[in-house]
Amino acid sequence: MPDNNMTRRKFLATGIGVISGAIALGVGGAAITAVVAPAVTNKREDKWVEAGNADDLVQGQFNKINIAYDAKDAWMEGKIKLLAYVKPDGDNLFALSATCSHLGCNVKFDEQSGKFKCPCHTGVYDATGKNISGPPPKPLSHLEAKIEDGKLFINTGIKEA
Ligand code: FES
């Protein structure tokens, strides 16, 4: 005859283990989503970030600009890194996020073809950021940029094309 107390204890221990695992997966899933979501969905808070000296920008060309800033989203805090391309044309600045609209890889500007190319799944964008071939479903996101006191500032919020 089975020991009912032992069976019940085993059942409870297994149940608690399963529930703990499910909670861990749920919490982990939420954390992973919070980390991955900004890259995939391209959502970022509106924030002006200093991004170098204006004198370093080459006129008429896409300048690759790395930005890093502190961000807080619900209970998560951390450093966000963002790659942007900024093209000065006289006093005007044209800025694009380098984040591919497909799965969030960073695109590279190809001087020879004058197009942005994504190394992950061969997505291609024209020089305005419009998606022209491959899997990207949308254009590259436009960013606001400005120069103040000799410094380049980029707004990390997305301005859809
Ligand atoms: S992530 Fe750029 S084409 Fe897939």
Side-chain angles (χ1 to χ4, degrees):
M1 185 161 166
D3 179 352
N4 281 344
N5 282 340
M6 191 56 141
T7 306
R8 195 174 302 134
R9 235 180 280 141
K10 239 183 180 175
F11 172 78
L12 285 174
T14 304
I16 289 168
V18 168
I19 290 168
S20 300
I23 290 170
L25 275 176
V27 170
I32 289 167
T33 303
V35 169
V36 171
V40 175
T41 63
N42 234 352
K43 281 189 180 160
R44 284 185 289 266
E45 67 179 311
D46 242 22
K47 184 174 190 171
W48 286 100
V49 177
E50 190 182 317
N53 292 320
D55 286 347
D56 294 339
L57 293 172
V58 180
Q59 280 285 327
Q61 289 186 20
F62 279 109
N63 296 261
K64 196 172 165 182
I65 308 289
N66 284 295
I67 309 164
Y69 62 98
D70 295 319
K72 188 172 187 229
D73 184 17
W75 73 93
M76 291 194 57
E77 287 182 53
K79 195 75 62 222
I80 301 277
K81 290 183 178 177
L82 172 67
L83 180 64
Y85 283 93
V86 177
K87 186 177 184 179
D89 182 12
D91 289 340
N92 296 320
L93 295 172
F94 177 64
L96 293 170
S97 164
T99 305
C100 182
S101 66
H102 180 223
L103 292 177
C105 292
N106 280 332
V107 300
K108 293 180 181 154
F109 185 67
D110 178 47
E111 293 283 347
Q112 210 163 16
S113 64
K115 295 179 175 117
F116 290 96
K117 296 184 175 177
C118 182
C120 293
H121 312 101
T122 64
V124 181
Y125 303 82
D126 69 15
T128 68
K130 183 178 178 222
N131 49 320
I132 53 175
S133 76
K138 297 191 312 185
L140 294 173
S141 297
H142 288 216
L143 299 170
E144 284 183 311
K146 66 181 178 183
I147 292 173
E148 273 182 14
D149 299 327
K151 298 282 184 193
L152 170 68
F153 289 87
I154 294 180
N155 191 316
T156 58
I158 298 302
K159 309 292 169 233
E160 294 302 333

